CSV table of all heavy atoms in Angstrom, one decimal:
chain,number,residue,atom,x,y,z
A,31,PHE,N,25.8,251.4,152.8
A,31,PHE,CA,25.6,250.0,152.4
A,31,PHE,C,25.6,249.1,153.5
A,31,PHE,O,26.5,249.1,154.4
A,31,PHE,CB,26.6,249.6,151.3
A,31,PHE,CG,26.3,248.3,150.7
A,31,PHE,CD1,25.3,248.2,149.8
A,31,PHE,CD2,27.0,247.2,151.0
A,31,PHE,CE1,25.0,247.0,149.2
A,31,PHE,CE2,26.7,245.9,150.5
A,31,PHE,CZ,25.7,245.8,149.6
A,32,ASN,N,24.7,248.2,153.6
A,32,ASN,CA,24.6,247.2,154.6
A,32,ASN,C,25.3,245.9,154.2
A,32,ASN,O,24.7,245.2,153.4
A,32,ASN,CB,23.1,247.0,155.0
A,32,ASN,CG,23.0,245.9,156.1
A,32,ASN,OD1,24.0,245.5,156.6
A,32,ASN,ND2,21.8,245.5,156.3
A,33,TYR,N,26.5,245.7,154.6
A,33,TYR,CA,27.2,244.5,154.1
A,33,TYR,C,26.6,243.2,154.6
A,33,TYR,O,26.9,242.2,154.1
A,33,TYR,CB,28.7,244.6,154.6
A,33,TYR,CG,29.5,245.7,154.0
A,33,TYR,CD1,30.0,246.7,154.7
A,33,TYR,CD2,29.6,245.7,152.6
A,33,TYR,CE1,30.7,247.7,154.1
A,33,TYR,CE2,30.4,246.7,152.0
A,33,TYR,CZ,30.9,247.7,152.8
A,33,TYR,OH,31.6,248.7,152.2
A,34,GLN,N,25.7,243.3,155.6
A,34,GLN,CA,25.1,242.0,156.1
A,34,GLN,C,23.8,241.7,155.4
A,34,GLN,O,23.2,240.7,155.7
A,34,GLN,CB,25.0,242.1,157.6
A,34,GLN,CG,26.1,241.4,158.4
A,34,GLN,CD,27.0,242.4,159.0
A,34,GLN,OE1,26.5,243.5,159.5
A,34,GLN,NE2,28.3,242.2,158.8
A,35,SER,N,23.4,242.5,154.4
A,35,SER,CA,22.1,242.3,153.9
A,35,SER,C,22.0,241.0,153.2
A,35,SER,O,23.0,240.5,152.7
A,35,SER,CB,21.8,243.4,152.9
A,35,SER,OG,22.5,243.2,151.7
A,36,ARG,N,20.8,240.4,153.2
A,36,ARG,CA,20.6,239.1,152.5
A,36,ARG,C,19.5,239.2,151.5
A,36,ARG,O,18.5,239.8,151.7
A,36,ARG,CB,20.1,238.1,153.6
A,36,ARG,CG,21.2,237.7,154.6
A,36,ARG,CD,21.9,236.4,154.0
A,36,ARG,NE,23.0,236.1,154.9
A,36,ARG,CZ,24.2,236.6,154.7
A,36,ARG,NH1,24.4,237.5,153.7
A,36,ARG,NH2,25.2,236.3,155.5
A,37,PRO,N,19.8,238.6,150.3
A,37,PRO,CA,18.7,238.7,149.3
A,37,PRO,C,17.5,237.8,149.8
A,37,PRO,O,17.7,236.6,150.1
A,37,PRO,CB,19.3,238.0,148.1
A,37,PRO,CG,20.6,237.4,148.5
A,37,PRO,CD,20.9,237.9,149.9
A,38,ALA,N,16.3,238.4,149.9
A,38,ALA,CA,15.2,237.7,150.5
A,38,ALA,C,14.3,237.1,149.4
A,38,ALA,O,13.9,235.9,149.5
A,38,ALA,CB,14.4,238.7,151.3
A,39,ASP,N,14.1,237.8,148.3
A,39,ASP,CA,13.2,237.3,147.3
A,39,ASP,C,13.9,236.3,146.4
A,39,ASP,O,15.0,236.6,145.9
A,39,ASP,CB,12.8,238.6,146.5
A,39,ASP,CG,11.8,238.3,145.4
A,39,ASP,OD1,11.4,237.1,145.4
A,39,ASP,OD2,11.5,239.2,144.6
A,40,VAL,N,13.3,235.2,146.2
A,40,VAL,CA,14.0,234.2,145.3
A,40,VAL,C,13.4,234.0,143.9
A,40,VAL,O,13.7,233.1,143.2
A,40,VAL,CB,14.0,232.8,146.0
A,40,VAL,CG1,14.9,232.8,147.2
A,40,VAL,CG2,12.7,232.3,146.3
A,41,THR,N,12.4,234.9,143.5
A,41,THR,CA,11.9,234.8,142.2
A,41,THR,C,12.9,235.6,141.2
A,41,THR,O,13.4,236.7,141.6
A,41,THR,CB,10.5,235.4,142.0
A,41,THR,OG1,10.5,236.6,142.7
A,41,THR,CG2,9.5,234.4,142.6
A,42,MET,N,13.1,235.0,140.1
A,42,MET,CA,14.0,235.6,139.1
A,42,MET,C,13.3,236.7,138.4
A,42,MET,O,12.2,236.6,137.8
A,42,MET,CB,14.4,234.4,138.1
A,42,MET,CG,15.7,234.6,137.5
A,42,MET,SD,17.0,234.3,138.6
A,42,MET,CE,18.3,234.1,137.4
A,43,LYS,N,14.0,237.9,138.4
A,43,LYS,CA,13.4,239.0,137.7
A,43,LYS,C,14.0,239.2,136.3
A,43,LYS,O,15.1,238.6,136.1
A,43,LYS,CB,13.7,240.3,138.5
A,43,LYS,CG,13.2,240.3,139.9
A,43,LYS,CD,11.9,240.9,140.0
A,43,LYS,CE,11.1,240.7,141.3
A,43,LYS,NZ,11.7,240.3,142.5
A,44,LEU,N,13.4,239.9,135.5
A,44,LEU,CA,13.8,240.1,134.1
A,44,LEU,C,15.3,240.6,134.1
A,44,LEU,O,16.1,240.2,133.3
A,44,LEU,CB,12.9,241.1,133.4
A,44,LEU,CG,13.1,241.2,131.9
A,44,LEU,CD1,12.8,239.9,131.3
A,44,LEU,CD2,12.3,242.3,131.3
A,45,ASP,N,15.5,241.5,135.1
A,45,ASP,CA,16.9,242.1,135.2
A,45,ASP,C,18.0,241.0,135.4
A,45,ASP,O,19.0,241.1,134.9
A,45,ASP,CB,16.9,243.1,136.4
A,45,ASP,CG,17.0,244.5,135.8
A,45,ASP,OD1,16.9,244.7,134.6
A,45,ASP,OD2,17.1,245.4,136.7
A,46,ASP,N,17.6,240.0,136.3
A,46,ASP,CA,18.6,239.0,136.6
A,46,ASP,C,18.9,238.2,135.3
A,46,ASP,O,20.0,237.9,135.0
A,46,ASP,CB,17.9,238.0,137.6
A,46,ASP,CG,17.7,238.7,138.9
A,46,ASP,OD1,18.4,239.6,139.2
A,46,ASP,OD2,16.7,238.3,139.6
A,47,TRP,N,17.8,237.9,134.5
A,47,TRP,CA,18.0,237.2,133.2
A,47,TRP,C,18.9,238.0,132.3
A,47,TRP,O,19.8,237.4,131.7
A,47,TRP,CB,16.7,236.9,132.5
A,47,TRP,CG,15.9,235.8,133.2
A,47,TRP,CD1,14.7,236.0,133.9
A,47,TRP,CD2,16.3,234.5,133.3
A,47,TRP,NE1,14.4,234.8,134.5
A,47,TRP,CE2,15.3,233.8,134.1
A,47,TRP,CE3,17.3,233.7,132.8
A,47,TRP,CZ2,15.3,232.5,134.4
A,47,TRP,CZ3,17.4,232.4,133.1
A,47,TRP,CH2,16.4,231.8,133.9
A,48,ARG,N,18.7,239.3,132.3
A,48,ARG,CA,19.5,240.1,131.4
A,48,ARG,C,20.9,240.0,131.8
A,48,ARG,O,21.8,240.0,131.0
A,48,ARG,CB,19.0,241.6,131.5
A,48,ARG,CG,17.9,241.9,130.6
A,48,ARG,CD,17.9,243.4,130.3
A,48,ARG,NE,16.5,243.7,129.8
A,48,ARG,CZ,15.7,244.4,130.6
A,48,ARG,NH1,16.1,244.9,131.7
A,48,ARG,NH2,14.5,244.7,130.2
A,49,ARG,N,21.2,240.1,133.1
A,49,ARG,CA,22.6,240.0,133.6
A,49,ARG,C,23.2,238.7,133.2
A,49,ARG,O,24.4,238.6,132.8
A,49,ARG,CB,22.6,240.1,135.1
A,49,ARG,CG,22.2,241.5,135.5
A,49,ARG,CD,22.5,241.7,137.0
A,49,ARG,NE,24.0,241.8,137.1
A,49,ARG,CZ,24.5,242.3,138.2
A,49,ARG,NH1,23.8,242.8,139.2
A,49,ARG,NH2,25.8,242.4,138.3
A,50,ILE,N,22.5,237.6,133.4
A,50,ILE,CA,23.1,236.3,133.0
A,50,ILE,C,23.4,236.3,131.5
A,50,ILE,O,24.5,235.9,131.1
A,50,ILE,CB,22.1,235.1,133.4
A,50,ILE,CG1,21.9,235.1,134.9
A,50,ILE,CG2,22.6,233.8,132.9
A,50,ILE,CD1,20.8,234.2,135.4
A,51,ALA,N,22.4,236.8,130.7
A,51,ALA,CA,22.6,236.9,129.3
A,51,ALA,C,23.9,237.7,129.0
A,51,ALA,O,24.7,237.4,128.1
A,51,ALA,CB,21.4,237.5,128.6
A,52,ARG,N,24.1,238.8,129.7
A,52,ARG,CA,25.3,239.6,129.5
A,52,ARG,C,26.5,238.9,129.7
A,52,ARG,O,27.6,239.2,129.1
A,52,ARG,CB,25.2,240.9,130.4
A,52,ARG,CG,24.5,242.0,129.7
A,52,ARG,CD,25.0,243.4,130.3
A,52,ARG,NE,24.8,243.5,131.7
A,52,ARG,CZ,23.6,243.9,132.2
A,52,ARG,NH1,22.6,244.2,131.5
A,52,ARG,NH2,23.5,244.0,133.5
A,53,HIS,N,26.5,237.9,130.6
A,53,HIS,CA,27.7,237.1,130.8
A,53,HIS,C,27.9,236.0,129.7
A,53,HIS,O,29.0,235.6,129.4
A,53,HIS,CB,27.7,236.4,132.2
A,53,HIS,CG,27.9,237.4,133.3
A,53,HIS,ND1,29.2,237.9,133.6
A,53,HIS,CD2,27.1,237.9,134.2
A,53,HIS,CE1,29.1,238.7,134.6
A,53,HIS,NE2,27.9,238.8,135.0
A,54,VAL,N,26.7,235.5,129.2
A,54,VAL,CA,26.8,234.3,128.3
A,54,VAL,C,27.0,234.8,126.9
A,54,VAL,O,27.8,234.3,126.1
A,54,VAL,CB,25.5,233.5,128.4
A,54,VAL,CG1,25.5,232.4,127.4
A,54,VAL,CG2,25.4,232.9,129.8
A,55,LEU,N,26.3,235.9,126.5
A,55,LEU,CA,26.3,236.3,125.1
A,55,LEU,C,27.6,236.7,124.5
A,55,LEU,O,27.9,236.4,123.3
A,55,LEU,CB,25.3,237.4,124.8
A,55,LEU,CG,23.8,236.9,125.0
A,55,LEU,CD1,22.8,238.0,124.7
A,55,LEU,CD2,23.5,235.7,124.1
A,56,PRO,N,28.5,237.3,125.3
A,56,PRO,CA,29.8,237.7,124.7
A,56,PRO,C,30.6,236.4,124.2
A,56,PRO,O,31.4,236.5,123.3
A,56,PRO,CB,30.6,238.4,125.8
A,56,PRO,CG,29.5,238.9,126.7
A,56,PRO,CD,28.4,237.9,126.6
A,57,LYS,N,30.2,235.3,124.8
A,57,LYS,CA,30.9,234.1,124.3
A,57,LYS,C,30.1,233.5,123.1
A,57,LYS,O,29.6,232.4,123.1
A,57,LYS,CB,30.9,233.0,125.4
A,57,LYS,CG,31.1,233.6,126.8
A,57,LYS,CD,32.3,233.0,127.4
A,57,LYS,CE,32.7,233.8,128.7
A,57,LYS,NZ,32.9,235.2,128.6
A,58,TRP,N,29.9,234.4,122.1
A,58,TRP,CA,28.9,234.0,121.0
A,58,TRP,C,29.4,232.8,120.2
A,58,TRP,O,28.6,232.0,119.7
A,58,TRP,CB,28.7,235.2,120.1
A,58,TRP,CG,29.9,235.7,119.5
A,58,TRP,CD1,30.8,236.7,120.0
A,58,TRP,CD2,30.5,235.3,118.2
A,58,TRP,NE1,31.8,236.9,119.1
A,58,TRP,CE2,31.7,236.1,118.0
A,58,TRP,CE3,30.1,234.4,117.3
A,58,TRP,CZ2,32.5,235.9,116.9
A,58,TRP,CZ3,30.9,234.2,116.1
A,58,TRP,CH2,32.1,235.0,116.0
A,59,ARG,N,30.7,232.6,120.1
A,59,ARG,CA,31.1,231.5,119.3
A,59,ARG,C,30.6,230.1,120.0
A,59,ARG,O,30.0,229.3,119.3
A,59,ARG,CB,32.7,231.5,119.3
A,59,ARG,CG,33.2,231.0,118.0
A,59,ARG,CD,34.7,230.9,118.1
A,59,ARG,NE,35.3,232.2,118.1
A,59,ARG,CZ,35.8,232.8,117.0
A,59,ARG,NH1,35.6,232.2,115.8
A,59,ARG,NH2,36.3,234.0,117.0
A,60,HIS,N,30.9,230.1,121.3
A,60,HIS,CA,30.4,228.9,122.0
A,60,HIS,C,28.9,228.8,122.0
A,60,HIS,O,28.3,227.8,121.8
A,60,HIS,CB,30.8,228.9,123.5
A,60,HIS,CG,32.3,228.6,123.6
A,60,HIS,ND1,33.1,229.2,124.5
A,60,HIS,CD2,33.0,227.6,123.1
A,60,HIS,CE1,34.3,228.6,124.4
A,60,HIS,NE2,34.2,227.6,123.6
A,61,SER,N,28.2,230.0,122.1
A,61,SER,CA,26.8,230.0,122.2
A,61,SER,C,26.2,229.5,120.9
A,61,SER,O,25.2,228.8,120.8
A,61,SER,CB,26.3,231.4,122.5
A,61,SER,OG,26.9,231.9,123.6
A,62,LEU,N,26.8,230.0,119.7
A,62,LEU,CA,26.3,229.6,118.4
A,62,LEU,C,26.4,228.1,118.2
A,62,LEU,O,25.5,227.4,117.7
A,62,LEU,CB,27.1,230.3,117.3
A,62,LEU,CG,26.5,231.7,116.9
A,62,LEU,CD1,27.3,232.3,115.8
A,62,LEU,CD2,25.1,231.7,116.6
A,63,GLN,N,27.6,227.6,118.6
A,63,GLN,CA,27.8,226.1,118.4
A,63,GLN,C,26.8,225.4,119.2
A,63,GLN,O,26.2,224.4,118.8
A,63,GLN,CB,29.2,225.7,118.9
A,63,GLN,CG,30.3,226.2,117.9
A,63,GLN,CD,31.7,226.0,118.5
A,63,GLN,OE1,31.8,225.6,119.7
A,63,GLN,NE2,32.7,226.1,117.7
A,64,LEU,N,26.5,225.9,120.4
A,64,LEU,CA,25.6,225.3,121.3
A,64,LEU,C,24.2,225.3,120.7
A,64,LEU,O,23.5,224.3,120.7
A,64,LEU,CB,25.6,226.0,122.6
A,64,LEU,CG,25.2,225.2,123.8
A,64,LEU,CD1,26.0,224.0,124.0
A,64,LEU,CD2,25.4,226.1,125.1
A,65,VAL,N,23.8,226.4,120.1
A,65,VAL,CA,22.4,226.6,119.5
A,65,VAL,C,22.3,225.6,118.4
A,65,VAL,O,21.3,224.9,118.2
A,65,VAL,CB,22.2,228.0,119.1
A,65,VAL,CG1,21.0,228.1,118.2
A,65,VAL,CG2,22.1,228.9,120.3
A,66,PHE,N,23.4,225.4,117.6
A,66,PHE,CA,23.4,224.5,116.5
A,66,PHE,C,23.1,223.1,117.0
A,66,PHE,O,22.3,222.4,116.4
A,66,PHE,CB,24.7,224.6,115.7
A,66,PHE,CG,24.9,223.5,114.7
A,66,PHE,CD1,24.2,223.7,113.4
A,66,PHE,CD2,25.7,222.4,114.9
A,66,PHE,CE1,24.4,222.7,112.5
A,66,PHE,CE2,25.8,221.4,113.9
A,66,PHE,CZ,25.2,221.6,112.7
A,67,CYS,N,23.9,222.7,118.0
A,67,CYS,CA,23.7,221.3,118.6
A,67,CYS,C,22.3,221.1,119.0
A,67,CYS,O,21.7,220.1,118.8
A,67,CYS,CB,24.6,221.2,119.8
A,67,CYS,SG,26.3,220.9,119.4
A,68,ILE,N,21.8,222.2,119.7
A,68,ILE,CA,20.5,222.0,120.3
A,68,ILE,C,19.4,221.9,119.2
A,68,ILE,O,18.5,221.0,119.3
A,68,ILE,CB,20.2,223.2,121.2
A,68,ILE,CG1,21.1,223.2,122.5
A,68,ILE,CG2,18.7,223.3,121.6
A,68,ILE,CD1,21.0,224.4,123.3
A,69,VAL,N,19.5,222.7,118.2
A,69,VAL,CA,18.5,222.6,117.1
A,69,VAL,C,18.6,221.3,116.4
A,69,VAL,O,17.6,220.6,116.1
A,69,VAL,CB,18.7,223.8,116.1
A,69,VAL,CG1,17.8,223.6,114.9
A,69,VAL,CG2,18.4,225.1,116.8
A,70,MET,N,19.8,220.8,116.1
A,70,MET,CA,20.0,219.6,115.4
A,70,MET,C,19.4,218.4,116.3
A,70,MET,O,18.8,217.5,115.7
A,70,MET,CB,21.5,219.3,115.1
A,70,MET,CG,22.0,220.2,114.0
A,70,MET,SD,21.1,220.1,112.5
A,70,MET,CE,21.5,218.4,112.0
Side-chain angles (χ1 to χ4, degrees):
F31 189 74
N32 176 8
Y33 291 117
Q34 262 103 43
S35 73
R36 288 269 175 273
D39 183 5
V40 291
T41 45
M42 205 74 166
K43 302 266 169 16
L44 193 61
D45 254 5
D46 297 327
W47 286 113
R48 276 207 202 106
R49 291 192 70 160
I50 296 169
R52 270 206 298 277
H53 284 288
V54 176
L55 292 182
K57 324 236 169 308
W58 59 270
R59 216 185 286 268
H60 282 137
S61 310
L62 274 185
Q63 289 174 347
L64 206 55
V65 169
F66 172 76
C67 282
I68 291 173
V69 172
M70 288 304 290

